[in-house]
Amino acid sequence: MGNPKGFIEVERKVSGNRPVRERVDDYGEVEQVLDDQDRRLQASRCMDCGIPYCHWACPVGSKIPEWQDALYKGDYGLASQILHSTNSFPEFTGRVCPAPCEKSCVLAIHNEAVTIRENEASTVEKAFELGLVIPRIPKIRTGKKVAVIGSGPSGLSVADRLNQAGHSVCVFERDDALGGLLRYGIPDFKLNKKVVDRRIHLFEAEGIEFRTNVSVGETISGKELLQQYDAVVLAIGAMKPRDLAVEGRELAGVYFAMEYLKQQNKVNRGVTFNGERINAAGKRVLVIGGGDTGSDCVGTANRQRAEWVGQLEILPRPPEKRQPGNPWPYWANVLKTSSSHEEGCERMWSLSTRRFIGEKGRLTGVEVQ
Ligand code: SF4
């Protein structure tokens, strides 16, 4: 712990987002970056608690106090090494993780949490900039072959771990590009796809083989895979959407979030797609569902120049602050305003969809209750 008084002397400072007027004109990442000195000062706010809860809350068990200390001291190599010891791609989580670690930060009991997520993204970006993130070629090979089906975050992570353990890994992806939700789910304004490509190139250099446009069960059978590989990992994600069984669901103009987000990501990538172009330009758009995916649809509709964007949430509006029944260190059920909401969105609470109304087979309205 480099600065035992950091949490007293330094206030939380977030990097903030690009101005709304500027960012809605493009699909570039909205979040800005702090300079190196400010970032290291932010890391100095970590108290290196006797019993830290941040890594208890982190889904990948990140050793947060350890790499905050290394970051504060400017040892980017060590900070990056500690980050990578539990996380195959901290540059992704540092951008898009909801950061439960910060909700469980001990400092957050009476003060504002350490900017853990931003510190994570900055650490790994600095490490890349300094040439400290280089391919780690496994020294031994076990002779075992593993097929991983699906190249989303779980498929990539398991492929990395198995490859580092010395197994020969091949990842199968049915889409035309690698990354799953990282590639075609999360909008570019939250995760630039060059960041995804950079990590995949690193994995390739480390020996992982990737095959796109291969649909297991169609292009190659499961039986063939089992004959060719010692083990098969299913990391196919959950692409089946939850439908709304209400009147008018079949009307044109009602889409699943993934149809919409995936298509815009494909357009940004400059690749062709099948079917109708879904474009919100000049339209009144209602997003049903108040979570992060809904928020991504809000941001996409605003960039497409929708006339109006609203978002329905079935639950009541959350409180601004933690309530007595929702104590630290648990996830805080408080109002979250995303960068997409800031760009323009009418948020509506405690409402559900009763039916879709249409004319000549096309949606014209939604009845809610
Ligand atoms: S931002 Fe997410 S991945 Fe990173 S330390 Fe926090 S909980 Fe873990």
Side-chain angles (χ1 to χ4, degrees), residues 24-49:
V24 291
D25 282 336
D26 61 52
Y27 286 85
E29 287 187 353
V30 301
E31 193 164 59
Q32 304 181 119
V33 289
L34 290 183
D35 65 35
D36 292 349
Q37 193 186 351
D38 270 348
R39 181 56 64 203
R40 287 172 56 188
L41 278 175
Q42 288 303 302
S44 80
R45 296 184 71 239
C46 177
M47 301 187 290
D48 192 15
C49 310

mmCIF file with all atom_site columns, all heavy atoms in Angstrom, residues 24-49:
data_model
loop_
_atom_site.group_PDB
_atom_site.id
_atom_site.type_symbol
_atom_site.label_atom_id
_atom_site.label_alt_id
_atom_site.label_comp_id
_atom_site.label_asym_id
_atom_site.label_entity_id
_atom_site.label_seq_id
_atom_site.pdbx_PDB_ins_code
_atom_site.Cartn_x
_atom_site.Cartn_y
_atom_site.Cartn_z
_atom_site.occupancy
_atom_site.B_iso_or_equiv
_atom_site.pdbx_formal_charge
_atom_site.auth_seq_id
_atom_site.auth_comp_id
_atom_site.auth_asym_id
_atom_site.auth_atom_id
_atom_site.pdbx_PDB_model_num
ATOM 1   N N   . VAL A 1 24 ? -23.265 11.432 -30.138 1.00 0.00 ? 24 VAL A N   1
ATOM 2   C CA  . VAL A 1 24 ? -24.395 10.798 -30.825 1.00 0.00 ? 24 VAL A CA  1
ATOM 3   C C   . VAL A 1 24 ? -24.227 10.823 -32.341 1.00 0.00 ? 24 VAL A C   1
ATOM 4   O O   . VAL A 1 24 ? -25.018 10.228 -33.064 1.00 0.00 ? 24 VAL A O   1
ATOM 5   C CB  . VAL A 1 24 ? -25.761 11.424 -30.448 1.00 0.00 ? 24 VAL A CB  1
ATOM 6   C CG1 . VAL A 1 24 ? -26.126 11.106 -29.018 1.00 0.00 ? 24 VAL A CG1 1
ATOM 7   C CG2 . VAL A 1 24 ? -25.783 12.907 -30.725 1.00 0.00 ? 24 VAL A CG2 1
ATOM 8   N N   . ASP A 1 25 ? -23.195 11.499 -32.815 1.00 0.00 ? 25 ASP A N   1
ATOM 9   C CA  . ASP A 1 25 ? -22.931 11.530 -34.254 1.00 0.00 ? 25 ASP A CA  1
ATOM 10  C C   . ASP A 1 25 ? -22.041 10.382 -34.708 1.00 0.00 ? 25 ASP A C   1
ATOM 11  O O   . ASP A 1 25 ? -21.708 10.285 -35.885 1.00 0.00 ? 25 ASP A O   1
ATOM 12  C CB  . ASP A 1 25 ? -22.240 12.849 -34.641 1.00 0.00 ? 25 ASP A CB  1
ATOM 13  C CG  . ASP A 1 25 ? -23.229 13.991 -34.701 1.00 0.00 ? 25 ASP A CG  1
ATOM 14  O OD1 . ASP A 1 25 ? -24.425 13.704 -34.895 1.00 0.00 ? 25 ASP A OD1 1
ATOM 15  O OD2 . ASP A 1 25 ? -22.810 15.146 -34.543 1.00 0.00 ? 25 ASP A OD2 1
ATOM 16  N N   . ASP A 1 26 ? -21.592 9.562  -33.770 1.00 0.00 ? 26 ASP A N   1
ATOM 17  C CA  . ASP A 1 26 ? -20.697 8.480  -34.184 1.00 0.00 ? 26 ASP A CA  1
ATOM 18  C C   . ASP A 1 26 ? -20.878 7.266  -33.277 1.00 0.00 ? 26 ASP A C   1
ATOM 19  O O   . ASP A 1 26 ? -21.645 7.305  -32.319 1.00 0.00 ? 26 ASP A O   1
ATOM 20  C CB  . ASP A 1 26 ? -19.228 8.956  -34.171 1.00 0.00 ? 26 ASP A CB  1
ATOM 21  C CG  . ASP A 1 26 ? -18.764 9.388  -32.791 1.00 0.00 ? 26 ASP A CG  1
ATOM 22  O OD1 . ASP A 1 26 ? -18.938 8.600  -31.835 1.00 0.00 ? 26 ASP A OD1 1
ATOM 23  O OD2 . ASP A 1 26 ? -18.232 10.507 -32.638 1.00 0.00 ? 26 ASP A OD2 1
ATOM 24  N N   . TYR A 1 27 ? -20.157 6.213  -33.598 1.00 0.00 ? 27 TYR A N   1
ATOM 25  C CA  . TYR A 1 27 ? -20.226 4.987  -32.798 1.00 0.00 ? 27 TYR A CA  1
ATOM 26  C C   . TYR A 1 27 ? -18.921 4.758  -32.038 1.00 0.00 ? 27 TYR A C   1
ATOM 27  O O   . TYR A 1 27 ? -18.642 3.648  -31.600 1.00 0.00 ? 27 TYR A O   1
ATOM 28  C CB  . TYR A 1 27 ? -20.561 3.782  -33.694 1.00 0.00 ? 27 TYR A CB  1
ATOM 29  C CG  . TYR A 1 27 ? -22.019 3.767  -34.122 1.00 0.00 ? 27 TYR A CG  1
ATOM 30  C CD1 . TYR A 1 27 ? -22.442 4.487  -35.229 1.00 0.00 ? 27 TYR A CD1 1
ATOM 31  C CD2 . TYR A 1 27 ? -22.970 3.061  -33.393 1.00 0.00 ? 27 TYR A CD2 1
ATOM 32  C CE1 . TYR A 1 27 ? -23.775 4.501  -35.616 1.00 0.00 ? 27 TYR A CE1 1
ATOM 33  C CE2 . TYR A 1 27 ? -24.304 3.070  -33.767 1.00 0.00 ? 27 TYR A CE2 1
ATOM 34  C CZ  . TYR A 1 27 ? -24.701 3.787  -34.876 1.00 0.00 ? 27 TYR A CZ  1
ATOM 35  O OH  . TYR A 1 27 ? -26.023 3.797  -35.239 1.00 0.00 ? 27 TYR A OH  1
ATOM 36  N N   . GLY A 1 28 ? -18.123 5.815  -31.885 1.00 0.00 ? 28 GLY A N   1
ATOM 37  C CA  . GLY A 1 28 ? -16.884 5.697  -31.113 1.00 0.00 ? 28 GLY A CA  1
ATOM 38  C C   . GLY A 1 28 ? -17.195 5.526  -29.634 1.00 0.00 ? 28 GLY A C   1
ATOM 39  O O   . GLY A 1 28 ? -18.285 5.891  -29.168 1.00 0.00 ? 28 GLY A O   1
ATOM 40  N N   . GLU A 1 29 ? -16.245 4.995  -28.884 1.00 0.00 ? 29 GLU A N   1
ATOM 41  C CA  . GLU A 1 29 ? -16.479 4.784  -27.447 1.00 0.00 ? 29 GLU A CA  1
ATOM 42  C C   . GLU A 1 29 ? -16.812 6.109  -26.770 1.00 0.00 ? 29 GLU A C   1
ATOM 43  O O   . GLU A 1 29 ? -16.180 7.128  -27.040 1.00 0.00 ? 29 GLU A O   1
ATOM 44  C CB  . GLU A 1 29 ? -15.238 4.152  -26.797 1.00 0.00 ? 29 GLU A CB  1
ATOM 45  C CG  . GLU A 1 29 ? -15.075 2.690  -27.187 1.00 0.00 ? 29 GLU A CG  1
ATOM 46  C CD  . GLU A 1 29 ? -13.949 1.993  -26.427 1.00 0.00 ? 29 GLU A CD  1
ATOM 47  O OE1 . GLU A 1 29 ? -13.206 2.655  -25.687 1.00 0.00 ? 29 GLU A OE1 1
ATOM 48  O OE2 . GLU A 1 29 ? -13.824 0.765  -26.595 1.00 0.00 ? 29 GLU A OE2 1
ATOM 49  N N   . VAL A 1 30 ? -17.800 6.070  -25.877 1.00 0.00 ? 30 VAL A N   1
ATOM 50  C CA  . VAL A 1 30 ? -18.242 7.318  -25.245 1.00 0.00 ? 30 VAL A CA  1
ATOM 51  C C   . VAL A 1 30 ? -17.342 7.704  -24.065 1.00 0.00 ? 30 VAL A C   1
ATOM 52  O O   . VAL A 1 30 ? -17.202 8.879  -23.753 1.00 0.00 ? 30 VAL A O   1
ATOM 53  C CB  . VAL A 1 30 ? -19.714 7.240  -24.756 1.00 0.00 ? 30 VAL A CB  1
ATOM 54  C CG1 . VAL A 1 30 ? -20.653 6.951  -25.898 1.00 0.00 ? 30 VAL A CG1 1
ATOM 55  C CG2 . VAL A 1 30 ? -19.892 6.229  -23.650 1.00 0.00 ? 30 VAL A CG2 1
ATOM 56  N N   . GLU A 1 31 ? -16.735 6.711  -23.420 1.00 0.00 ? 31 GLU A N   1
ATOM 57  C CA  . GLU A 1 31 ? -15.990 7.015  -22.200 1.00 0.00 ? 31 GLU A CA  1
ATOM 58  C C   . GLU A 1 31 ? -14.616 7.607  -22.516 1.00 0.00 ? 31 GLU A C   1
ATOM 59  O O   . GLU A 1 31 ? -13.918 7.138  -23.402 1.00 0.00 ? 31 GLU A O   1
ATOM 60  C CB  . GLU A 1 31 ? -15.823 5.749  -21.351 1.00 0.00 ? 31 GLU A CB  1
ATOM 61  C CG  . GLU A 1 31 ? -15.343 6.061  -19.945 1.00 0.00 ? 31 GLU A CG  1
ATOM 62  C CD  . GLU A 1 31 ? -15.549 4.891  -18.989 1.00 0.00 ? 31 GLU A CD  1
ATOM 63  O OE1 . GLU A 1 31 ? -15.006 3.808  -19.262 1.00 0.00 ? 31 GLU A OE1 1
ATOM 64  O OE2 . GLU A 1 31 ? -16.247 5.079  -17.978 1.00 0.00 ? 31 GLU A OE2 1
ATOM 65  N N   . GLN A 1 32 ? -14.252 8.638  -21.763 1.00 0.00 ? 32 GLN A N   1
ATOM 66  C CA  . GLN A 1 32 ? -12.952 9.282  -21.951 1.00 0.00 ? 32 GLN A CA  1
ATOM 67  C C   . GLN A 1 32 ? -11.927 8.622  -21.023 1.00 0.00 ? 32 GLN A C   1
ATOM 68  O O   . GLN A 1 32 ? -12.255 7.684  -20.305 1.00 0.00 ? 32 GLN A O   1
ATOM 69  C CB  . GLN A 1 32 ? -13.084 10.767 -21.637 1.00 0.00 ? 32 GLN A CB  1
ATOM 70  C CG  . GLN A 1 32 ? -14.159 11.440 -22.474 1.00 0.00 ? 32 GLN A CG  1
ATOM 71  C CD  . GLN A 1 32 ? -14.271 12.913 -22.188 1.00 0.00 ? 32 GLN A CD  1
ATOM 72  O OE1 . GLN A 1 32 ? -14.069 13.732 -23.059 1.00 0.00 ? 32 GLN A OE1 1
ATOM 73  N NE2 . GLN A 1 32 ? -14.598 13.247 -20.952 1.00 0.00 ? 32 GLN A NE2 1
ATOM 74  N N   . VAL A 1 33 ? -10.700 9.122  -21.026 1.00 0.00 ? 33 VAL A N   1
ATOM 75  C CA  . VAL A 1 33 ? -9.673  8.556  -20.136 1.00 0.00 ? 33 VAL A CA  1
ATOM 76  C C   . VAL A 1 33 ? -9.024  9.672  -19.317 1.00 0.00 ? 33 VAL A C   1
ATOM 77  O O   . VAL A 1 33 ? -8.899  10.803 -19.779 1.00 0.00 ? 33 VAL A O   1
ATOM 78  C CB  . VAL A 1 33 ? -8.578  7.793  -20.925 1.00 0.00 ? 33 VAL A CB  1
ATOM 79  C CG1 . VAL A 1 33 ? -9.118  6.498  -21.486 1.00 0.00 ? 33 VAL A CG1 1
ATOM 80  C CG2 . VAL A 1 33 ? -8.007  8.645  -22.050 1.00 0.00 ? 33 VAL A CG2 1
ATOM 81  N N   . LEU A 1 34 ? -8.625  9.334  -18.094 1.00 0.00 ? 34 LEU A N   1
ATOM 82  C CA  . LEU A 1 34 ? -7.879  10.284 -17.262 1.00 0.00 ? 34 LEU A CA  1
ATOM 83  C C   . LEU A 1 34 ? -6.414  10.238 -17.664 1.00 0.00 ? 34 LEU A C   1
ATOM 84  O O   . LEU A 1 34 ? -5.948  9.241  -18.223 1.00 0.00 ? 34 LEU A O   1
ATOM 85  C CB  . LEU A 1 34 ? -7.976  9.886  -15.784 1.00 0.00 ? 34 LEU A CB  1
ATOM 86  C CG  . LEU A 1 34 ? -9.317  10.032 -15.069 1.00 0.00 ? 34 LEU A CG  1
ATOM 87  C CD1 . LEU A 1 34 ? -9.153  9.652  -13.598 1.00 0.00 ? 34 LEU A CD1 1
ATOM 88  C CD2 . LEU A 1 34 ? -9.865  11.445 -15.183 1.00 0.00 ? 34 LEU A CD2 1
ATOM 89  N N   . ASP A 1 35 ? -5.659  11.300 -17.336 1.00 0.00 ? 35 ASP A N   1
ATOM 90  C CA  . ASP A 1 35 ? -4.226  11.204 -17.620 1.00 0.00 ? 35 ASP A CA  1
ATOM 91  C C   . ASP A 1 35 ? -3.578  10.264 -16.593 1.00 0.00 ? 35 ASP A C   1
ATOM 92  O O   . ASP A 1 35 ? -4.181  9.916  -15.574 1.00 0.00 ? 35 ASP A O   1
ATOM 93  C CB  . ASP A 1 35 ? -3.564  12.585 -17.663 1.00 0.00 ? 35 ASP A CB  1
ATOM 94  C CG  . ASP A 1 35 ? -3.594  13.307 -16.323 1.00 0.00 ? 35 ASP A CG  1
ATOM 95  O OD1 . ASP A 1 35 ? -3.493  12.638 -15.276 1.00 0.00 ? 35 ASP A OD1 1
ATOM 96  O OD2 . ASP A 1 35 ? -3.726  14.541 -16.323 1.00 0.00 ? 35 ASP A OD2 1
ATOM 97  N N   . ASP A 1 36 ? -2.337  9.868  -16.878 1.00 0.00 ? 36 ASP A N   1
ATOM 98  C CA  . ASP A 1 36 ? -1.684  8.831  -16.059 1.00 0.00 ? 36 ASP A CA  1
ATOM 99  C C   . ASP A 1 36 ? -1.576  9.233  -14.594 1.00 0.00 ? 36 ASP A C   1
ATOM 100 O O   . ASP A 1 36 ? -1.760  8.415  -13.691 1.00 0.00 ? 36 ASP A O   1
ATOM 101 C CB  . ASP A 1 36 ? -0.277  8.536  -16.608 1.00 0.00 ? 36 ASP A CB  1
ATOM 102 C CG  . ASP A 1 36 ? -0.331  7.866  -17.965 1.00 0.00 ? 36 ASP A CG  1
ATOM 103 O OD1 . ASP A 1 36 ? -1.436  7.459  -18.374 1.00 0.00 ? 36 ASP A OD1 1
ATOM 104 O OD2 . ASP A 1 36 ? 0.722   7.769  -18.622 1.00 0.00 ? 36 ASP A OD2 1
ATOM 105 N N   . GLN A 1 37 ? -1.282  10.515 -14.354 1.00 0.00 ? 37 GLN A N   1
ATOM 106 C CA  . GLN A 1 37 ? -1.093  10.941 -12.964 1.00 0.00 ? 37 GLN A CA  1
ATOM 107 C C   . GLN A 1 37 ? -2.405  10.844 -12.181 1.00 0.00 ? 37 GLN A C   1
ATOM 108 O O   . GLN A 1 37 ? -2.445  10.324 -11.058 1.00 0.00 ? 37 GLN A O   1
ATOM 109 C CB  . GLN A 1 37 ? -0.557  12.374 -12.932 1.00 0.00 ? 37 GLN A CB  1
ATOM 110 C CG  . GLN A 1 37 ? -0.061  12.747 -11.552 1.00 0.00 ? 37 GLN A CG  1
ATOM 111 C CD  . GLN A 1 37 ? 0.348   14.206 -11.459 1.00 0.00 ? 37 GLN A CD  1
ATOM 112 O OE1 . GLN A 1 37 ? 0.411   14.909 -12.461 1.00 0.00 ? 37 GLN A OE1 1
ATOM 113 N NE2 . GLN A 1 37 ? 0.617   14.654 -10.255 1.00 0.00 ? 37 GLN A NE2 1
ATOM 114 N N   . ASP A 1 38 ? -3.475  11.331 -12.784 1.00 0.00 ? 38 ASP A N   1
ATOM 115 C CA  . ASP A 1 38 ? -4.784  11.248 -12.120 1.00 0.00 ? 38 ASP A CA  1
ATOM 116 C C   . ASP A 1 38 ? -5.182  9.790  -11.892 1.00 0.00 ? 38 ASP A C   1
ATOM 117 O O   . ASP A 1 38 ? -5.752  9.435  -10.863 1.00 0.00 ? 38 ASP A O   1
ATOM 118 C CB  . ASP A 1 38 ? -5.856  11.933 -12.976 1.00 0.00 ? 38 ASP A CB  1
ATOM 119 C CG  . ASP A 1 38 ? -5.987  13.408 -12.634 1.00 0.00 ? 38 ASP A CG  1
ATOM 120 O OD1 . ASP A 1 38 ? -5.426  13.823 -11.599 1.00 0.00 ? 38 ASP A OD1 1
ATOM 121 O OD2 . ASP A 1 38 ? -6.630  14.137 -13.412 1.00 0.00 ? 38 ASP A OD2 1
ATOM 122 N N   . ARG A 1 39 ? -4.889  8.965  -12.875 1.00 0.00 ? 39 ARG A N   1
ATOM 123 C CA  . ARG A 1 39 ? -5.270  7.556  -12.740 1.00 0.00 ? 39 ARG A CA  1
ATOM 124 C C   . ARG A 1 39 ? -4.535  6.906  -11.574 1.00 0.00 ? 39 ARG A C   1
ATOM 125 O O   . ARG A 1 39 ? -5.113  6.164  -10.783 1.00 0.00 ? 39 ARG A O   1
ATOM 126 C CB  . ARG A 1 39 ? -4.972  6.824  -14.064 1.00 0.00 ? 39 ARG A CB  1
ATOM 127 C CG  . ARG A 1 39 ? -5.335  5.363  -14.079 1.00 0.00 ? 39 ARG A CG  1
ATOM 128 C CD  . ARG A 1 39 ? -6.793  5.123  -13.732 1.00 0.00 ? 39 ARG A CD  1
ATOM 129 N NE  . ARG A 1 39 ? -7.703  5.702  -14.704 1.00 0.00 ? 39 ARG A NE  1
ATOM 130 C CZ  . ARG A 1 39 ? -8.970  6.022  -14.423 1.00 0.00 ? 39 ARG A CZ  1
ATOM 131 N NH1 . ARG A 1 39 ? -9.463  5.819  -13.212 1.00 0.00 ? 39 ARG A NH1 1
ATOM 132 N NH2 . ARG A 1 39 ? -9.753  6.550  -15.351 1.00 0.00 ? 39 ARG A NH2 1
ATOM 133 N N   . ARG A 1 40 ? -3.258  7.199  -11.459 1.00 0.00 ? 40 ARG A N   1
ATOM 134 C CA  . ARG A 1 40 ? -2.488  6.599  -10.360 1.00 0.00 ? 40 ARG A CA  1
ATOM 135 C C   . ARG A 1 40 ? -2.970  7.141  -9.016  1.00 0.00 ? 40 ARG A C   1
ATOM 136 O O   . ARG A 1 40 ? -3.022  6.414  -8.013  1.00 0.00 ? 40 ARG A O   1
ATOM 137 C CB  . ARG A 1 40 ? -0.998  6.853  -10.577 1.00 0.00 ? 40 ARG A CB  1
ATOM 138 C CG  . ARG A 1 40 ? -0.442  5.983  -11.708 1.00 0.00 ? 40 ARG A CG  1
ATOM 139 C CD  . ARG A 1 40 ? 0.970   6.343  -12.074 1.00 0.00 ? 40 ARG A CD  1
ATOM 140 N NE  . ARG A 1 40 ? 1.872   6.276  -10.942 1.00 0.00 ? 40 ARG A NE  1
ATOM 141 C CZ  . ARG A 1 40 ? 3.139   6.694  -10.976 1.00 0.00 ? 40 ARG A CZ  1
ATOM 142 N NH1 . ARG A 1 40 ? 3.630   7.199  -12.094 1.00 0.00 ? 40 ARG A NH1 1
ATOM 143 N NH2 . ARG A 1 40 ? 3.891   6.593  -9.916  1.00 0.00 ? 40 ARG A NH2 1
ATOM 144 N N   . LEU A 1 41 ? -3.363  8.401  -8.990  1.00 0.00 ? 41 LEU A N   1
ATOM 145 C CA  . LEU A 1 41 ? -3.914  8.958  -7.741  1.00 0.00 ? 41 LEU A CA  1
ATOM 146 C C   . LEU A 1 41 ? -5.208  8.242  -7.365  1.00 0.00 ? 41 LEU A C   1
ATOM 147 O O   . LEU A 1 41 ? -5.474  7.974  -6.194  1.00 0.00 ? 41 LEU A O   1
ATOM 148 C CB  . LEU A 1 41 ? -4.188  10.457 -7.910  1.00 0.00 ? 41 LEU A CB  1
ATOM 149 C CG  . LEU A 1 41 ? -2.985  11.376 -7.736  1.00 0.00 ? 41 LEU A CG  1
ATOM 150 C CD1 . LEU A 1 41 ? -3.378  12.814 -8.043  1.00 0.00 ? 41 LEU A CD1 1
ATOM 151 C CD2 . LEU A 1 41 ? -2.435  11.278 -6.308  1.00 0.00 ? 41 LEU A CD2 1
ATOM 152 N N   . GLN A 1 42 ? -6.010  7.941  -8.382  1.00 0.00 ? 42 GLN A N   1
ATOM 153 C CA  . GLN A 1 42 ? -7.253  7.211  -8.099  1.00 0.00 ? 42 GLN A CA  1
ATOM 154 C C   . GLN A 1 42 ? -6.947  5.838  -7.500  1.00 0.00 ? 42 GLN A C   1
ATOM 155 O O   . GLN A 1 42 ? -7.623  5.381  -6.585  1.00 0.00 ? 42 GLN A O   1
ATOM 156 C CB  . GLN A 1 42 ? -8.095  7.071  -9.377  1.00 0.00 ? 42 GLN A CB  1
ATOM 157 C CG  . GLN A 1 42 ? -8.743  8.372  -9.827  1.00 0.00 ? 42 GLN A CG  1
ATOM 158 C CD  . GLN A 1 42 ? -9.621  8.987  -8.747  1.00 0.00 ? 42 GLN A CD  1
ATOM 159 O OE1 . GLN A 1 42 ? -10.553 8.357  -8.265  1.00 0.00 ? 42 GLN A OE1 1
ATOM 160 N NE2 . GLN A 1 42 ? -9.312  10.207 -8.332  1.00 0.00 ? 42 GLN A NE2 1
ATOM 161 N N   . ALA A 1 43 ? -5.905  5.194  -8.011  1.00 0.00 ? 43 ALA A N   1
ATOM 162 C CA  . ALA A 1 43 ? -5.521  3.884  -7.464  1.00 0.00 ? 43 ALA A CA  1
ATOM 163 C C   . ALA A 1 43 ? -5.060  4.016  -6.016  1.00 0.00 ? 43 ALA A C   1
ATOM 164 O O   . ALA A 1 43 ? -5.234  3.102  -5.206  1.00 0.00 ? 43 ALA A O   1
ATOM 165 C CB  . ALA A 1 43 ? -4.423  3.262  -8.323  1.00 0.00 ? 43 ALA A CB  1
ATOM 166 N N   . SER A 1 44 ? -4.504  5.189  -5.671  1.00 0.00 ? 44 SER A N   1
ATOM 167 C CA  . SER A 1 44 ? -4.005  5.383  -4.297  1.00 0.00 ? 44 SER A CA  1
ATOM 168 C C   . SER A 1 44 ? -5.146  5.437  -3.289  1.00 0.00 ? 44 SER A C   1
ATOM 169 O O   . SER A 1 44 ? -4.922  5.360  -2.087  1.00 0.00 ? 44 SER A O   1
ATOM 170 C CB  . SER A 1 44 ? -3.178  6.670  -4.204  1.00 0.00 ? 44 SER A CB  1
ATOM 171 O OG  . SER A 1 44 ? -4.022  7.806  -4.102  1.00 0.00 ? 44 SER A OG  1
ATOM 172 N N   . ARG A 1 45 ? -6.394  5.567  -3.765  1.00 0.00 ? 45 ARG A N   1
ATOM 173 C CA  . ARG A 1 45 ? -7.535  5.613  -2.834  1.00 0.00 ? 45 ARG A CA  1
ATOM 174 C C   . ARG A 1 45 ? -7.851  4.235  -2.251  1.00 0.00 ? 45 ARG A C   1
ATOM 175 O O   . ARG A 1 45 ? -8.584  4.123  -1.275  1.00 0.00 ? 45 ARG A O   1
ATOM 176 C CB  . ARG A 1 45 ? -8.779  6.170  -3.543  1.00 0.00 ? 45 ARG A CB  1
ATOM 177 C CG  . ARG A 1 45 ? -8.622  7.615  -3.999  1.00 0.00 ? 45 ARG A CG  1
ATOM 178 C CD  . ARG A 1 45 ? -9.912  8.145  -4.602  1.00 0.00 ? 45 ARG A CD  1
ATOM 179 N NE  . ARG A 1 45 ? -10.928 8.336  -3.594  1.00 0.00 ? 45 ARG A NE  1
ATOM 180 C CZ  . ARG A 1 45 ? -12.108 7.738  -3.599  1.00 0.00 ? 45 ARG A CZ  1
ATOM 181 N NH1 . ARG A 1 45 ? -12.417 6.900  -4.563  1.00 0.00 ? 45 ARG A NH1 1
ATOM 182 N NH2 . ARG A 1 45 ? -12.980 7.965  -2.640  1.00 0.00 ? 45 ARG A NH2 1
ATOM 183 N N   . CYS A 1 46 ? -7.318  3.184  -2.876  1.00 0.00 ? 46 CYS A N   1
ATOM 184 C CA  . CYS A 1 46 ? -7.559  1.831  -2.351  1.00 0.00 ? 46 CYS A CA  1
ATOM 185 C C   . CYS A 1 46 ? -6.897  1.721  -0.973  1.00 0.00 ? 46 CYS A C   1
ATOM 186 O O   . CYS A 1 46 ? -5.727  2.071  -0.804  1.00 0.00 ? 46 CYS A O   1
ATOM 187 C CB  . CYS A 1 46 ? -6.982  0.790  -3.311  1.00 0.00 ? 46 CYS A CB  1
ATOM 188 S SG  . CYS A 1 46 ? -7.142  -0.898 -2.707  1.00 0.00 ? 46 CYS A SG  1
ATOM 189 N N   . MET A 1 47 ? -7.667  1.240  0.004   1.00 0.00 ? 47 MET A N   1
ATOM 190 C CA  . MET A 1 47 ? -7.178  1.206  1.392   1.00 0.00 ? 47 MET A CA  1
ATOM 191 C C   . MET A 1 47 ? -6.434  -0.082 1.717   1.00 0.00 ? 47 MET A C   1
ATOM 192 O O   . MET A 1 47 ? -5.984  -0.262 2.838   1.00 0.00 ? 47 MET A O   1
ATOM 193 C CB  . MET A 1 47 ? -8.357  1.361  2.356   1.00 0.00 ? 47 MET A CB  1
ATOM 194 C CG  . MET A 1 47 ? -9.140  2.649  2.152   1.00 0.00 ? 47 MET A CG  1
ATOM 195 S SD  . MET A 1 47 ? -10.383 2.897  3.422   1.00 0.00 ? 47 MET A SD  1
ATOM 196 C CE  . MET A 1 47 ? -11.582 1.642  3.031   1.00 0.00 ? 47 MET A CE  1
ATOM 197 N N   . ASP A 1 48 ? -6.351  -1.015 0.767   1.00 0.00 ? 48 ASP A N   1
ATOM 198 C CA  . ASP A 1 48 ? -5.748  -2.322 1.023   1.00 0.00 ? 48 ASP A CA  1
ATOM 199 C C   . ASP A 1 48 ? -6.331  -2.899 2.314   1.00 0.00 ? 48 ASP A C   1
ATOM 200 O O   . ASP A 1 48 ? -5.616  -3.205 3.272   1.00 0.00 ? 48 ASP A O   1
ATOM 201 C CB  . ASP A 1 48 ? -4.220  -2.215 1.111   1.00 0.00 ? 48 ASP A CB  1
ATOM 202 C CG  . ASP A 1 48 ? -3.566  -3.591 1.090   1.00 0.00 ? 48 ASP A CG  1
ATOM 203 O OD1 . ASP A 1 48 ? -4.257  -4.564 0.721   1.00 0.00 ? 48 ASP A OD1 1
ATOM 204 O OD2 . ASP A 1 48 ? -2.381  -3.692 1.454   1.00 0.00 ? 48 ASP A OD2 1
ATOM 205 N N   . CYS A 1 49 ? -7.651  -3.013 2.321   1.00 0.00 ? 49 CYS A N   1
ATOM 206 C CA  . CYS A 1 49 ? -8.377  -3.413 3.537   1.00 0.00 ? 49 CYS A CA  1
ATOM 207 C C   . CYS A 1 49 ? -7.902  -4.765 4.064   1.00 0.00 ? 49 CYS A C   1
ATOM 208 O O   . CYS A 1 49 ? -7.506  -5.633 3.287   1.00 0.00 ? 49 CYS A O   1
ATOM 209 C CB  . CYS A 1 49 ? -9.860  -3.542 3.227   1.00 0.00 ? 49 CYS A CB  1
ATOM 210 S SG  . CYS A 1 49 ? -10.522 -2.133 2.371   1.00 0.00 ? 49 CYS A SG  1
#
